[in-house]
Amino acid sequence: MRVVLVAAAVAVAVVPGAAARSQPALRLAAFGPAVISPNGNGVNDVLRVRARAPAAAQLELRVYAWGGRLHGWKRIQTGVTFRSGETAEWDATTAAGLELRDGTYQVTLCYKDAGALLPPLIRASRQRPGAAERTVSRPPWRRSGCLAKPRVVRVERLAAYVDSTKSYKPGAGPPLVVSADRGQATVQQDCNGRRFPGATLPRGLASGLYHYVVSDPAGDESRAPVVVRNATFPLEDPPPRTALLVWPYLTWRAYNAYDADLNGVPDSWYQFWRQRRVSLVGTILPGGREDDHKAAFPFSRWICSRKPQVQSVTDVELGRLSLETLRRYAAVVFPGHSEYYVPSTYDLLRRYRDRGGRLVFLQANPFYRQVRLDPARNSMVMTDFDAREGRSDFALAGVGYDGCCFPRSRAQPYFAARGADYRRVRWLFRGTGIGPGESFGYAGSESDRIDPELTPRDHVVAARAIVAGKRGVINAALVWSHAGRGEVFATGNYDFLRMRRSLTWTLLDNVWHKFVG
């Protein structure tokens, strides 16, 4: 008798899900709401689910989150079990009581014995390599004892965004969109943290980057960037010695983790390589702050302190300006991570520079990859991986991407140029105490190098750092270059603005004096 029982146990172990296959297919009787905001205010705090299943059947609620382009779908243990006829509730926590962050999740119901994985959706000969691709080809929720198709639930405690790609004058009311639970909005000045109540931009604001800060009684807080124009003169007719600040809206969206199409995967190629379309609608996740906020924040503080004459636009607006308008500005300055660009904007800037214009890139990796705007779908589409042959980042900025993503512990100091090169860039180091060949600051996170064939011939590497990367060394080159009748300054360093304040501000003062006047 014992032998028979053991054999039966072995049979069940060899054929997992045998019990589940004998159960009728699960169906949903109730599911909602599609967006939950688990902040305890009694409004859409939990997801409620009820199933059609045999009486007293034991069921469980399973949740899956996208773990990024390297890992793919990952199961989150919810600990939610119930019986047929009961209503299950889930408040966006794990079985251990940890709160899940805002985002979208695949939710399904299964019998307690979820059964076996179903055959792949993509046959083996067409599957791409990698762990993430395996979970796409054979999703972990496709089991014989689960719902035929999961539902996507958005967790959104509080979210906000400006539904526009443009800048706004003081006194205007940008189209601020706040999530279903609503909230009280204030406008925050980045340089000093001062807040102004309401969604209308106060009159008298200086031009630059600001943030809406939306909060609710539960203590949740969300932010949304908004670019503020200078209202004292028309965009097309600036006074002499005015710099045009260009804020990288397209790159902010590219690095965003928001899932606009509700398929559970954030709309970004940084999350999934096959993803080529990024929505221009929705909050910026996580937290509502743009990816390069910390790297660009010191520039906003410098602007507030020095109060130079500036005008501010987004990179989308930049592409719509005429060359005649652009040439009225003393310099075009990019304070942020301007990695993504529309080809026509690249061409406009190159004509501006060649006819005597000045460009300043204060972060690494400028104008690296092309995108196409799709107004009909309010989105942008990446059109290539590397545009260095047709429209080279080296040819425009003097530097181009070399490596990234190494920790601060690997950062290395810059070393100033020597000899004739140092004499040509002596203006940059004025007041810093940095002499020829001396070290200063550091290069971190992401860095650029020069290219002997693509960088304009008339250039000077004012300073250089060599960083140990994951696969060899990474060069960080701080470069002053000339092309046509114009000139360009590029830091070649994502963390340039985060070096010691007294050093960075003196270098910015010198660049501003040289390029703007």
Side-chain angles (χ1 to χ4, degrees):
M1 190 64 158
R2 280 186 199 155
V3 174
V4 174
L5 286 174
V6 171
V10 170
V12 173
V14 172
V15 189
R21 283 201 299 272
S22 66
Q23 300 275 27
L26 279 175
R27 300 182 188 280
L28 283 176
F31 188 99
V35 179
I36 63 173
S37 53
N39 52 18
N41 67 353
V43 181
N44 298 330
D45 281 335
V46 297
L47 170 71
R48 293 181 173 87
V49 182
R50 195 168 64 252
R52 292 193 180 98
Q58 289 188 322
L59 307 173
E60 66 176 347
L61 183 142
R62 292 191 174 197
V63 174
Y64 297 86
W66 182 254
R69 63 189 183 191
L70 297 180
H71 304 290
W73 292 109
K74 297 289 185 182
R75 183 182 171 187
I76 296 172
Q77 298 290 341
T78 65
V80 177
T81 60
F82 60 107
R83 290 184 178 274
S84 176
E86 298 176 345
T87 298
E89 294 187 349
W90 181 60
D91 60 355
T93 59
T94 68
L98 300 177
E99 292 185 351
L100 298 182
R101 69 180 186 180
D102 286 9
T104 52
Y105 299 87
Q106 295 276 6
V107 179
T108 191
L109 296 181
C110 302
Y111 288 106
K112 192 67 174 176
D113 179 355
L117 274 173
L118 299 178
L121 296 172
I122 304 172
R123 64 177 182 266
S125 61
R126 300 194 64 183
Q127 289 179 13
R128 292 168 172 250
E133 290 288 349
R134 283 195 296 274
T135 69
V136 172
S137 300
R138 199 176 192 185
W141 57 78
R142 291 190 74 246
R143 290 181 170 272
S144 57
C146 298
L147 291 173
K149 186 177 180 180
R151 295 285 187 91
V152 174
V153 172
R154 188 188 301 283
V155 175
E156 191 172 85
R157 293 168 179 84
L158 185 64
Y161 68 96
V162 176
D163 191 13
S164 172
T165 61
K166 68 178 188 178
S167 56
Y168 289 87
K169 292 181 180 179
L176 178 68
V177 179
V178 181
S179 58
D181 271 12
R182 315 305 295 171
Q184 299 297 317
T186 58
V187 179
Q188 178 169 298
Q189 191 170 10
D190 277 15
C191 63
N192 56 21
R194 185 182 178 189
R195 294 188 182 186
F196 306 88
T200 300
L201 298 175
R203 297 186 182 277
L205 287 183
S207 183
L209 180 63
Y210 291 74
H211 285 82
Y212 280 110
V213 182
V214 180
S215 58
D216 64 16
D220 297 311
E221 192 171 88
S222 182
R223 297 170 185 267
V226 58
V227 176
V228 176
R229 288 256 194 103
N230 191 325
T232 63
F233 58 86
L235 175 64
E236 298 78 11
D237 190 19
R241 295 184 295 280
T242 300
L244 181 66
L245 305 184
V246 181
W247 298 93
Y249 185 87
L250 296 178
T251 303
W252 294 345
R253 302 305 305 194
Y255 281 89
N256 186 16
Y258 189 73
D259 175 23
D261 59 8
L262 285 174
N263 67 351
V265 180
D267 301 335
S268 171
W269 39 82
Y270 290 98
Q271 291 286 334
F272 187 39
W273 278 123
R274 289 198 219 170
Q275 181 79 29
R276 284 293 172 266
R277 183 178 297 276
V278 171
S279 175
L280 301 181
V281 177
T283 188
I284 294 177
L285 293 178
R289 271 185 171 155
E290 57 281 9
D291 181 73
D292 68 346
H293 173 74
K294 290 183 179 179
F297 175 73
F299 179 78
S300 292
R301 298 195 68 179
W302 179 84
I303 284 286
C304 286
S305 173
R306 298 299 195 254
K307 297 180 172 54
Q309 182 93 292
V310 298
Q311 181 62 279
S312 294
V313 294
T314 69
D315 50 2
V316 177
E317 293 175 302
L318 171 65
R320 298 170 182 157
L321 297 180
S322 68
L323 178 60
E324 290 70 28
T325 293
L326 214 56
R327 293 186 66 189
R328 295 189 180 107
Y329 287 90
V332 179
V333 180
F334 295 84
H337 190 195
S338 52
E339 180 175 353
Y340 293 94
Y341 68 93
V342 175
S344 58
T345 303
Y346 180 106
D347 298 339
L348 172 66
L349 287 175
R350 190 158 183 172
R351 291 196 302 271
Y352 164 77
R353 180 203 62 186
D354 291 349
R355 297 187 185 187
R358 301 179 179 95
L359 302 175
V360 177
F361 298 98
L362 294 177
Q363 285 194 38
N365 201 202
F367 282 68
Y368 179 50
R369 284 178 174 162
Q370 296 179 8
V371 296
R372 171 178 58 84
L373 296 182
D374 184 353
R377 298 178 63 176
N378 208 357
S379 63
M380 68 174 178
V381 181
M382 194 212 292
T383 55
D384 66 358
F385 285 105
D386 193 341
R388 285 178 166 175
E389 293 184 6
R391 293 179 175 88
S392 162
D393 43 357
F394 294 101
L396 179 67
V399 296
Y401 175 75
D402 194 36
C404 83
C405 313
F406 46 87
R408 174 68 182 272
S409 59
R410 290 192 184 181
Q412 294 295 318
Y414 274 114
F415 287 88
R418 297 174 180 272
D421 284 347
Y422 181 86
R423 289 192 290 273
R424 288 190 64 187
V425 293
R426 191 185 300 273
W427 59 267
L428 177 63
F429 298 113
R430 185 177 298 114
T432 64
I434 300 169
E438 293 183 353
S439 65
F440 66 93
Y442 70 94
S445 183
E446 188 165 21
S447 299
D448 299 338
R449 61 178 173 85
I450 60 169
D451 186 286
E453 296 182 359
L454 298 174
T455 297
R457 290 182 179 274
D458 185 6
H459 71 271
V460 180
V461 178
R464 188 192 307 271
I466 299 178
V467 184
K470 297 176 182 176
R471 299 175 182 85
V473 299
I474 296 172
N475 293 274
L478 195 155
V479 175
W480 179 41
S481 62
H482 291 78
R485 299 197 302 272
E487 57 184 323
V488 181
F489 176 80
T491 67
N493 179 4
Y494 187 80
D495 284 344
F496 173 82
L497 294 170
R498 288 197 277 188
M499 298 190 299
R500 180 168 44 89
R501 173 172 161 172
S502 59
L503 169 62
T504 302
W505 283 31
T506 304
L507 292 171
L508 282 174
D509 290 343
N510 293 337
V511 170
W512 212 265
H513 179 77
K514 175 74 172 176
F515 278 66
V516 183

